[in-house]
Amino acid sequence: GSLERRRCLYLRTGRACCQMVEVLLAALILVCSSVSCGSAGGYTGLPALGGIYYYQYGGAYSGFSGADGERAQQLDQRFYLLKLPIARAAMAVGGCLLVFPCVLILVGVLRVPWHFPAWLLIECTLYIVIAVSTVPALYYFLHSLLSVYNSSVCKEREQLYQSKGYQGFWCSLHGAEIAAGLLGCLAAMAYLLSAGLAVRDYRTVHEQKQKPLQL
């Protein structure tokens, strides 16, 4: 009835729209982080680590033979292990950022801010903390990746694949990793906008509760 209509009206508010954008950005960050772990420039075959065979060139290590093939596999495994903690951390952060706005949308639909206006101030504080924390998190993410790409393992791996005519194994940030960084910046701006909207809605709810006869 009318209660269900009032709950659905929340999804049309500016705060809810901003939260849905945050859900989309977090999902994209999660996808880009997972792609970064096995992106193009990536892994031709890692059966020992449970990886997926990457037959881009018609077969795993098709251009290698003997000692070169074994060395390529070793370098792939070591490079994968270097990037794995960074990718897992990024995916964990992306998953948390995905859950957070979903919970807030549910809270809004249940009209918790109307019954407990102070929740909006708590929400504002959480948004500001997350937005500020995003900056060092992005720095750590990109700095850690650049450290991996500047490592001797990556350099040797790049030279080995180039010697066989393979392209796409450069020691530089890939598109998915750059996209994850840009999406993180957009998410931080969305969080700051949501913090401002939460303060505005707190004032609106407080004013309305001061005038119960006009509701």
Side-chain angles (χ1 to χ4, degrees):
S2 60
L3 178 61
E4 294 298 326
R5 288 195 296 270
R6 286 197 298 270
R7 288 177 176 176
C8 291
L9 283 176
Y10 172 75
L11 299 178
R12 299 171 57 183
T13 63
R15 202 162 94 256
C17 292
C18 198
Q19 289 167 349
M20 286 186 279
V21 170
E22 293 163 12
V23 171
L24 176 61
L25 291 174
L28 292 175
I29 291 174
L30 185 60
V31 171
C32 290
S33 301
S34 62
V35 170
S36 171
C37 190
S39 56
Y43 319 105
T44 50
L46 294 172
L49 299 175
I52 300 174
Y53 277 104
Y54 194 73
Y55 290 100
Q56 181 175 356
Y57 305 106
Y61 309 109
S62 59
F64 295 94
S65 60
D68 285 342
E70 294 179 0
R71 185 57 181 166
Q73 186 176 16
Q74 291 174 1
L75 290 173
D76 271 357
Q77 291 175 350
R78 291 173 62 186
F79 182 68
Y80 175 83
L81 291 175
L82 286 175
K83 287 187 68 177
L84 185 59
I86 306 170
R88 283 181 173 175
M91 286 187 286
V93 171
C96 293
L97 295 180
L98 180 62
V99 172
F100 179 65
C102 291
V103 172
L104 294 183
I105 290 174
L106 178 61
V107 168
V109 169
L110 296 177
R111 296 173 59 82
V112 172
W114 173 257
H115 300 290
F116 183 56
W119 168 258
L120 291 170
L121 297 180
I122 298 174
E123 184 176 316
C124 174
T125 303
L126 291 174
Y127 269 125
I128 293 175
V129 170
I130 294 175
V132 172
S133 301
T134 300
V135 177
L138 287 174
Y139 172 80
Y140 172 78
F141 174 70
L142 296 175
H143 179 73
S144 299
L145 285 175
L146 290 175
S147 298
V148 172
Y149 289 130
N150 290 328
S151 65
S152 59
V153 173
C154 185
K155 298 297 183 182
E156 183 179 354
R157 178 175 176 269
E158 179 185 29
Q159 293 176 359
L160 182 59
Y161 276 102
Q162 285 182 348
S163 68
K164 301 299 181 179
Y166 290 148
Q167 303 296 323
F169 295 88
W170 300 291
C171 293
S172 60
L173 294 174
H174 300 304
E177 295 159 352
I178 297 173
L182 294 176
L183 290 169
C185 294
L186 292 176
M189 291 187 287
Y191 300 146
L192 292 177
L193 177 59
S194 292
L197 292 174
V199 173
R200 184 203 65 180
D201 290 351
Y202 172 78
R203 292 175 179 174
T204 301
V205 171
H206 184 71
E207 291 174 358
Q208 290 180 351
K209 282 187 171 292
Q210 296 297 321
K211 303 176 182 179
L213 295 179
Q214 298 181 10
L215 296 179

